[in-house]
Each structure stands twice: as C-alpha cells, then as structure tokens.
C-alpha cells in the first residue's frame, strides 16, 4: 500500500553550528521521517557561545523562496522560528493566510545566549497578526510574558498564560514551556478546551542550545503525518527530552542537543 509522503516546512533563521534554527529543524524533520524543506529569513553567524553577526535576506528573496515552495511542493505542516522584522512577518503572514496545513509558531525573540533575534517593535505585529493564524504557539516563559504582558512565576501562572494566549490572543493552542523554571521540566498545553501537562525529569546539563527549535520542529513533523495535536506534543516532548538527555558537549558554550538520540543504537560520547 502506498502512503502519502509527509512534508514539513520551516521558515526561520540559520545556525552554522547546527544546534538551532533551520539546521535543527531539518535534522528533526529527517529524524522523525517527515520530508524537510526550508525558507531562510536571516543568515545568522552564531555558535554555542552566542550570536556574532546577522544578515537579513532581502524581502524579494524571502518572497521568491515562499513562491518556490507554493508553486511546486506539498506542505503538510509549517513552522516559523526567527522572523526578524515586521516586513518579513507581513509577507509570511500573507503566505500563511493561503496555507491550509497546520501552522506551528515558535515565537523566537532572543537566543539562549541573550542576543536579540527580532526587532522589539516587531513583537506586537507577531502577536496581533501571526498568532491568530496558528494551530499552536510554543513560547518559553519570557516569550509568554512578552505576549500576555504579565510576569509568570508559578505553575498556576503558566496555565493562566496558556489559556489567555488562546482565549484573548487568538492562538489555536498554546504550549508554555517550563525550561526556565526550577525543578521538573513541566510544559502546559491549552488546546482551547482542556489543559494538558507534559513533564519530565530535569537533565543536569548546560547543553540545551536549540531545544525550543527542536521541540517545535518535532511537533510540526508529527502534525505533517496527521498525528492529532495533543499526541503530537506528547511525542515531541519525548523526543526533545531524549535529545537533551544525550546532548553533545560540543563548542565552548551551551552545546547542541542530540537529534538522533531516539535511534535504537544510542552511543555515548566523551
Ligand atoms: N534541563 C532540561 N532537562 C529536561 N528538559 C528540559 C531542560 N531544559 C528545557 N527542557 C525542556 O525542553 C523544552 C524546551 O524548553 P525551553 O523552555 O528551554 O524552551 P526554549 O527556551 O524555547 O529553548 P531554549 O532554552 O533553547 O531557548 C521544554 O519541553 C522544556 O521543558
Ligand atoms: C536562527 C535561530 N533561531 C532560533 C534560535 C533560538 O534557539 P535557542 O533559544 O534554543 O538557542 C537561535 N539561537 N537561532
């Protein structure tokens, strides 16, 4: 019996060191057996220690890439990561309005190193124009605080934020990631009707560069295969947890996660 080839698209910035951005997304799509495609917004010179330089592609080149996909390739799920400015957001929003596949937004604002990845004035545009198009948005705590305009300090606050992002800001569903909280790594998903919780033991490691990208890419890959949203998040949580547990001590800073950690033969490295 022949089966549809699941196809995932990421629209995001790059990471030459391979842990975050487009590179992390494509590795994740490949690992989870979804055909991976990418539209690049910005070329970022970065590594495990931080961001060294950023070059935003001209708008025409962004549009040309989006057209290349639309005119030729099937898309069964799409995610966005770093979109640096309003102009890019506007074009991507127009493209997404004509897209019928589920849209996963990782509302990337700063790199883990603290370096800003989007212009401050673009945040409002993201909130007002792209958020309502999502099937799911996946903010970490600082990103969720930025969206709702309130501090999040407790697990109860995380749940309230998830509900508010859906009910007041129009997201299809909201997954608030607790990587920045103490203790267990707890995430809350509000899908419009029910609050779901996904939790794992915290792995004692500094090598978490790209966890957010990897998580949202995994959700996208599962959605492209027709897995229902809550199951897709559960499977993606298992994937990202394994990728953190077997992460790599590469580079001088926060090392990358291990995208092949769920393969049967997991090697251990120095
Ligand atoms: N040390 C850890 N051990 C286990 N799980 C973790 C750890 N740190 C983060 N996570 C989990 O990884 C996923 C990504 O969460 P996080 O809040 O770190 O996102 P992010 O901030 O977007 O990513 P990044 O830290 O790369 O910027 C979540 O499921 C979170 O619970
Ligand atoms: C191009 C790009 N997109 C996203 C991130 C965030 O990744 P992280 O917060 O996991 O370092 C990044 N560092 N670079």
């Amino acid at each position: 019996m022949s089966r549809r080839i699941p196809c995932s698209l990421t629209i995001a910035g790059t990471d030459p060191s391979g842990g975050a951005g487009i590179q992390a997304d494509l590795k994740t799509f490949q690992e989870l057996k979804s055909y991976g495609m990418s539209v690049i917004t910005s070329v970022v010179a970065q590594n495990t220690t931080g961001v060294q330089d950023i070059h935003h592609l001209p708008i025409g080149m962004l549009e040309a890439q989006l057209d290349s996909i639309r005119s030729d390739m099937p898309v069964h799920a799409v995610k966005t990561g770093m979109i640096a400015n309003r102009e890019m957001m506007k074009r991507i929003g127009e493209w997404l309005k004509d897209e019928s596949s589920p849209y996963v937004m990782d509302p990337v604002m700063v790199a883990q190193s603290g370096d800003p990845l989007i212009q401050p004035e673009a945040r409002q545009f993201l909130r007002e124009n792209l958020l309502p198009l999502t099937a799911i948005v996946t903010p970490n705590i600082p990103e969720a605080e930025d969206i709702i305009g309130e501090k999040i300090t407790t697990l109860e606050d995380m749940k309230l934020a998830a509900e508010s992002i859906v009910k007041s800001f129009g997201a299809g569903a909201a997954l608030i990631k607790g990587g920045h909280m103490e203790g267990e790594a707890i995430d809350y998903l509000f899908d419009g009707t029910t609050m779901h919780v996904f939790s794992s033991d915290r792995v004692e490691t500094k090598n978490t560069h790209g966890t957010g990208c990897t998580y949202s890419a995994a959700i996208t890959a599962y959605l492209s295969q027709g897995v229902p949203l809550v199951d897709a998040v559960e499977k993606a949580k298992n994937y990202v947890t394994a990728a953190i547990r077997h992460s790599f001590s590469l580079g001088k800073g926060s090392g990358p996660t291990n995208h092949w950690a769920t393969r049967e033969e997991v090697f251990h490295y120095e």
Side-chain angles (χ1 to χ4, degrees), residues 222-237:
Y222 287 121
L223 290 178
S224 78
Q225 293 156 357
V227 176
L229 183 72
V230 178
D231 297 344
V233 173
E234 184 175 19
K235 284 166 160 292
K237 173 73 171 172

Side-chain angles (χ1 to χ4, degrees), residues 106 110-112 138-143 175-181 184-187 198 200-205 208-213 215 237 240-241 244-245:
D106 183 6
V110 293
Q112 205 178 45
T138 65
N140 61 23
I141 302 271
E143 290 157 354
L175 176 69
I176 315 288
K177 300 172 294 188
H180 294 74
M181 301 286 263
E184 268 176 286
I186 297 186
D187 310 331
F198 304 95
S200 72
D201 289 341
R202 179 166 297 273
V203 181
E204 285 314 318
T205 179
T208 55
H209 177 60
T211 52
C213 305
Y215 197 8
K237 173 73 171 172
V240 75
T241 303
I244 295 170
R245 187 162 293 137

Side-chain angles (χ1 to χ4, degrees), residues 110-251:
V110 293
Q112 205 178 45
S113 53
D115 296 287
L117 293 173
I118 78 169
Q119 287 172 357
E121 63 275 16
R123 294 178 181 205
Q124 188 185 354
F125 191 90
L126 187 88
R127 202 163 47 225
E128 290 175 2
N129 298 280
L130 297 190
L131 207 47
L133 304 176
T134 59
I136 179 170
V137 60
T138 65
N140 61 23
I141 302 271
E143 290 157 354
E145 289 178 335
D146 189 89
I147 293 170
I148 62 169
E150 283 172 44
K151 276 271 156 215
I152 297 172
T153 50
T154 64
L155 297 181
E156 199 51 38
D157 291 346
M158 286 174 72
K159 289 193 237 177
L160 289 173
E163 272 196 46
S164 164
I165 289 173
V166 174
K167 290 183 178 163
S168 307
F169 294 89
L175 176 69
I176 315 288
K177 300 172 294 188
H180 294 74
M181 301 286 263
E182 302 271 289
E184 268 176 286
I186 297 186
D187 310 331
Y188 287 102
L189 168 69
F190 183 67
D191 63 5
T193 46
T194 309
M195 189 68 68
H196 304 266
V197 57
F198 304 95
S199 139
S200 72
D201 289 341
R202 179 166 297 273
V203 181
E204 285 314 318
T205 179
K206 68 178 172 64
N207 302 322
T208 55
H209 177 60
T211 52
C213 305
T214 300
Y215 197 8
S216 55
I219 295 169
T220 309
Y222 287 121
L223 290 178
S224 78
Q225 293 156 357
V227 176
L229 183 72
V230 178
D231 297 344
V233 173
E234 184 175 19
K235 284 166 160 292
K237 173 73 171 172
N238 291 339
Y239 177 73
V240 75
T241 303
I244 295 170
R245 187 162 293 137
H246 300 283
S247 58
F248 297 127
S249 277
L250 287 171

